[in-house]
Amino acid sequence: MLRHSEFTPIHSIIVPFIHEGPGLHALDAARQFDAEITLVGVVIVPHEQSLSTGASAARALRRLLRVFSRDKRTTSKSQVIVSHEPWNELAKLLQNEKPDLLCLEYETHPKALHVTMSEILARPPCDVALVRGKISSKPKQVLVPVRGGPHAELALRVGLGLHAQGVTALHIRRSNDPEAGTDAPFKGLERVLKQMPEVQKQFEVTDDSAQFILEHAKQKDVIILGTTIQPVTSSISLGPVADRILREAPCAVIAVKSGRPMPQQAVYDESAGVEAISILVDKWFAENTFHADEFNQLRELIELKKKQGLSISLALPALNEEQTVGKVIKMMKKELLQRVPLLDEIVLIDSNSTDRTREIAKKEGVPVYIHQQLLERLGARRGKGEALWKSLLVTKGDIIVWIDTDIVNIHPRFVYGIIGPLLINPQVQFVKGFYRRPLRVGQKMQAGGGGRVTELTARPLLNLFYPELSGVVQPLSGEYAGRREALESAPFYSGYGVETGLLIDIYERYGLNAIAQVDLLERIHHNQSLEALSKMSFAIIQTVMRKLENRIGRVMLEDVNRSMKLIRYNNKGYFLDVEQIAELERPPMIEVQEYLERKKT
């Protein structure tokens, strides 16, 4: 193995993969090194288009990256960059990741990334390698022209990293230069080379360096050369010698340049007004919107779960769902607990059903809890949010998944789809499902007719007060999942406001990129009456106002009426009926003594 202690081996390489663009040749080159390779997906969206249009391309790119990641040494960043001008974001990622090498394809990568060669190399965010041509597996002979300085040292590191049979370090000086071995830029490198008998040293005098290198290239598999030591001033030139070799060499060429510190830059300023918010949301939508089919390879999810040492609980809230609850439990138990152990437990959290819901669940062999009988010292409240909050007490998983039990077209994707983003990206804390919601009118189905409260209340409120969340397709969907640490630290609204409250809370505590959403295709369920939807809207409005109180530090709801005047009609005409709809909040479960005691066991 050609390596020396003076030259730190290349342990980590990042390769950008552009949607329908370059990346494959750079990956081939990176695979020659004994290094961990990270693939970063990049989708470039034309300036005249919204970044959100890049969502489908991002999904396609994630699928491709997963294929290449089957190599044990190769991983892919779950977060695909979607941008009009992606280079700044990629540079920022490189600063954070600090790889040993960024591997790019010469000419094609800069063009695809909408950046000039000079912008990449004048202030590189890390050591950079530009690859021209395909590098054969296990190259035999590598030529490294070295003159001295950091670029020459990097070129030698890269040459040694290829593990070729022979590496030749070629030092060329002009006829009017000092004697070989005495010129200042080369002295430090020469001292190291003397201690490396594995590397063949060759010293030559010529006034046409490029021609001399090209002649020797005929017997070599790869040439590795440093770019000009001066900052690149031309958008197309790497220096006269490098330019000619890259253009004329009969073998593969890698041009390298040593990295220099790059100042931190905020690519997007979230407080810069409407345009910045729009860019932020469009970008989030493209990068954090997934499709359930991306996660249908369940064995891959199992491996990710094992590697991270995670357990997953499915909690099913129910109230009088005897028509559908059995099918939901049976399918999830068979497909995701027995056939493929993606789930570690399934529990039913019932809201005191008066039909056969609990009986059916027990028959299917899952634990059943009545939420009114849990934490009785705190009293019992009505509402789905109360059931979800108390489900934290009776589940054990590091990830908690909730799906409604009234889904007619139940499928395992409703669970594995929303688990997927949590397993592929540790930054994600909370995942919402969304779907097409056909509305049943008599015996007919109206496509897209569902989600009326979502479109008439929830999304307008979020657009108005929490515009960062305006890209969430269905904030009220009943299919979602989160990490226990995030959920146990969040307050829960007991009624219809639970989904809105959790979404806002996760955003405020962890930021927008901690939230993801997944297309679950179509969901058919029982539609509620217009009166029920009106009550739901009333509760959601209260929830948003409560969250705004925390933001502005002032009470707004103290004197607001919590009772709702419902307009009814009978054979005597119209009349008003008053119903109290006060959206109450439960404290974070981590503050409840019984929960803390159970966590200890």
Side-chain angles (χ1 to χ4, degrees), residues 522-562:
E522 184 176 86
R523 183 193 195 280
I524 301 174
H525 65 126
H526 306 307
N527 291 291
Q528 299 191 56
S529 67
L530 189 59
E531 181 181 299
L533 298 180
S534 181
K535 295 177 184 178
M536 186 184 299
S537 295
F538 189 56
I540 290 166
I541 292 169
Q542 290 183 51
T543 300
V544 173
M545 292 184 72
R546 280 293 187 203
K547 290 297 183 183
L548 288 172
E549 288 178 347
N550 295 334
R551 178 196 285 182
I552 66 176
R554 184 167 63 85
V555 175
M556 295 187 294
L557 282 178
E558 185 174 350
D559 300 321
V560 174
N561 186 22
R562 307 294 184 85

Side-chain angles (χ1 to χ4, degrees), residues 351-558:
S351 296
N352 215 5
S353 296
T354 56
D355 65 0
R356 298 178 56 251
T357 295
R358 293 194 299 278
E359 179 184 337
I360 293 170
K362 289 177 181 176
K363 186 177 179 180
E364 294 298 335
V366 300
V368 175
Y369 301 91
I370 300 174
H371 84 68
Q372 289 87 344
Q373 297 175 6
L374 297 171
L375 299 176
E376 291 185 86
R377 72 173 181 84
L378 299 177
R381 294 178 184 170
R382 296 174 57 189
K384 177 184 176 183
E386 182 84 349
L388 299 183
W389 181 63
K390 290 179 177 176
S391 71
L392 295 176
L393 182 72
V394 297
T395 53
K396 301 175 182 177
D398 303 301
I399 291 173
I400 313 295
V401 184
W402 293 300
I403 69 168
D404 288 339
T405 49
D406 65 344
I407 304 174
V408 175
N409 62 324
I410 190 64
H411 186 278
R413 69 173 179 271
F414 285 96
V415 170
Y416 67 66
I418 53 180
I419 290 173
L422 291 159
L423 292 179
I424 68 169
N425 187 354
Q427 184 183 2
V428 172
Q429 301 292 321
F430 191 64
V431 180
K432 294 288 295 186
F434 68 92
Y435 27 69
R436 295 183 299 277
R437 298 178 65 176
L439 177 66
R440 187 183 297 277
V441 180
Q443 298 301 312
K444 296 182 179 181
M445 299 293 289
Q446 292 183 357
R452 290 164 287 174
V453 176
T454 294
E455 295 304 325
L456 298 177
T457 302
R459 296 198 71 254
L461 282 171
L462 292 175
N463 272 270
L464 184 61
F465 295 114
Y466 294 92
E468 298 88 348
L469 296 172
S470 58
V472 178
V473 177
Q474 284 171 347
L476 305 183
S477 71
E479 287 61 54
Y480 48 104
R483 299 188 191 278
R484 178 175 291 274
E485 288 186 2
L487 297 173
E488 69 184 5
S489 302
F492 275 60
Y493 286 90
S494 297
Y496 293 125
V498 62
E499 284 89 7
T500 307
L502 282 174
L503 183 64
I504 293 173
D505 186 80
I506 296 294
Y507 162 67
E508 290 183 330
R509 286 193 292 128
Y510 295 98
L512 187 57
N513 282 328
I515 299 170
Q517 60 182 352
V518 180
D519 185 352
L520 302 175
L521 303 179
E522 184 176 86
R523 183 193 195 280
I524 301 174
H525 65 126
H526 306 307
N527 291 291
Q528 299 191 56
S529 67
L530 189 59
E531 181 181 299
L533 298 180
S534 181
K535 295 177 184 178
M536 186 184 299
S537 295
F538 189 56
I540 290 166
I541 292 169
Q542 290 183 51
T543 300
V544 173
M545 292 184 72
R546 280 293 187 203
K547 290 297 183 183
L548 288 172
E549 288 178 347
N550 295 334
R551 178 196 285 182
I552 66 176
R554 184 167 63 85
V555 175
M556 295 187 294
L557 282 178
E558 185 174 350

Side-chain angles (χ1 to χ4, degrees), residues 235 241 274 435 536 591:
S235 62
V241 175
V274 175
Y435 27 69
M536 186 184 299
E591 298 176 7

Side-chain angles (χ1 to χ4, degrees), residues 144-406:
V144 186
V146 290
R147 186 155 175 84
H151 307 320
E153 294 170 9
L154 175 59
L156 195 53
R157 280 182 64 203
V158 171
L160 295 173
L162 289 174
H163 304 301
Q165 292 180 11
V167 175
T168 300
L170 172 65
H171 179 62
I172 296 176
R173 66 181 182 91
R174 298 182 183 88
S175 56
N176 60 348
D177 281 346
E179 288 298 315
T182 64
D183 48 321
F186 183 66
K187 276 189 175 181
L189 189 60
E190 182 186 30
R191 195 161 47 246
V192 175
L193 285 171
K194 286 180 178 179
Q195 302 176 55
M196 301 178 71
E198 317 95 321
V199 177
Q200 182 180 345
K201 295 85 174 174
Q202 186 173 347
F203 301 91
E204 300 291 344
V205 178
T206 178
D207 291 326
D208 191 346
S209 301
Q211 182 60 38
F212 191 90
I213 293 170
L214 289 170
E215 287 295 325
H216 282 69
K218 297 174 183 178
Q219 291 81 40
K220 306 297 181 182
D221 298 297
V222 186
I223 298 175
I224 303 170
L225 69 159
T227 60
T228 174
I229 198 167
Q230 301 298 322
V232 177
T233 56
S234 167
S235 62
I236 59 172
S237 175
L238 304 184
V241 175
D243 285 349
R244 186 177 173 191
I245 292 170
L246 282 162
R247 187 172 60 249
E248 300 179 21
C251 59
V253 180
I254 302 178
V256 301
K257 187 165 187 182
S258 180
R260 298 171 182 170
M262 188 174 179
Q264 291 284 345
Q265 295 182 14
V267 179
Y268 295 112
D269 180 0
E270 298 184 23
S271 62
V274 175
E275 184 177 352
I277 289 292
S278 178
I279 293 173
L280 177 74
V281 174
D282 286 354
K283 179 177 173 57
W284 172 85
F285 186 93
E287 295 179 349
N288 285 46
T289 300
F290 299 83
H291 192 285
D293 287 350
E294 295 185 58
F295 308 111
N296 59 14
Q297 299 301 312
L298 300 186
R299 296 294 177 184
E300 293 181 9
L301 294 185
I302 293 292
E303 286 303 311
L304 287 170
K305 175 188 165 186
K306 287 180 179 177
K307 285 181 181 178
Q308 297 171 55
L310 297 174
S311 56
I312 304 175
S313 300
L314 172 61
L316 302 170
L319 175 61
N320 297 328
E321 302 295 354
E322 64 180 5
Q323 298 298 320
T324 52
V325 68
K327 185 178 179 182
V328 170
I329 295 173
K330 189 175 295 184
M331 176 170 286
M332 297 307 167
K333 186 176 178 181
K334 177 183 177 182
E335 299 295 329
L336 301 181
L337 196 64
Q338 297 171 343
R339 188 175 69 84
V340 178
L342 182 62
L343 298 174
D344 294 281
E345 65 174 345
I346 301 174
V347 304
L348 185 86
I349 186 81
D350 186 64
S351 296
N352 215 5
S353 296
T354 56
D355 65 0
R356 298 178 56 251
T357 295
R358 293 194 299 278
E359 179 184 337
I360 293 170
K362 289 177 181 176
K363 186 177 179 180
E364 294 298 335
V366 300
V368 175
Y369 301 91
I370 300 174
H371 84 68
Q372 289 87 344
Q373 297 175 6
L374 297 171
L375 299 176
E376 291 185 86
R377 72 173 181 84
L378 299 177
R381 294 178 184 170
R382 296 174 57 189
K384 177 184 176 183
E386 182 84 349
L388 299 183
W389 181 63
K390 290 179 177 176
S391 71
L392 295 176
L393 182 72
V394 297
T395 53
K396 301 175 182 177
D398 303 301
I399 291 173
I400 313 295
V401 184
W402 293 300
I403 69 168
D404 288 339
T405 49
D406 65 344

